[in-house]
Amino acid sequence: MKLDRRKFLGVAAASPLAAKEIATRAMEEAQMQAAGMSLHSDALYTGIPASDPMPNMRSLWEAISELGMPEWKREDLREDARRNRTLDPDIAAMRSLSLGAKMRCQWRRNYEVLVESALRQNKMEKVKRSFFKEHPDVEEY
């Protein structure tokens, strides 16, 4: 980064905070590596020894389809479903329901659609991988 008059104060003001965070991350990483572990994305402790090659990993949705959905993922999908603030026409036309009840119906539907599309996408990814494995001369893009 080129440091000129305009950027100097910004760098000087942010540097103590950034330096502290970088030092903290470096210490955590050093401690994890000393214990034979590694830091992966989002700085999560994975329990996979750093010296071993990556084991055969499966996607989260493959595990969910086999083991069931954990509560933390359900809650994450419920929050995603609540982000939508529009109603489908068939739910909006229900005269006997209050707006709050209509929103809960819409959120439940959004949650079900999220789960269904994720599972369908996982199946399609498996089909796509097998196709490219059978046809190595074909490129997707």
Side-chain angles (χ1 to χ4, degrees), residues 30-44:
Q31 290 171 348
M32 295 291 283
Q33 288 178 350
M37 302 298 167
S38 64
L39 289 172
H40 290 281
S41 64
D42 297 332
L44 292 175

Side-chain angles (χ1 to χ4, degrees), residues 60-61 64 69-78:
L60 173 64
W61 286 101
I64 286 174
M69 190 172 312
E71 186 60 34
W72 62 267
K73 188 61 180 173
R74 275 194 203 114
E75 190 57 36
D76 184 43
L77 290 174
R78 284 186 197 117

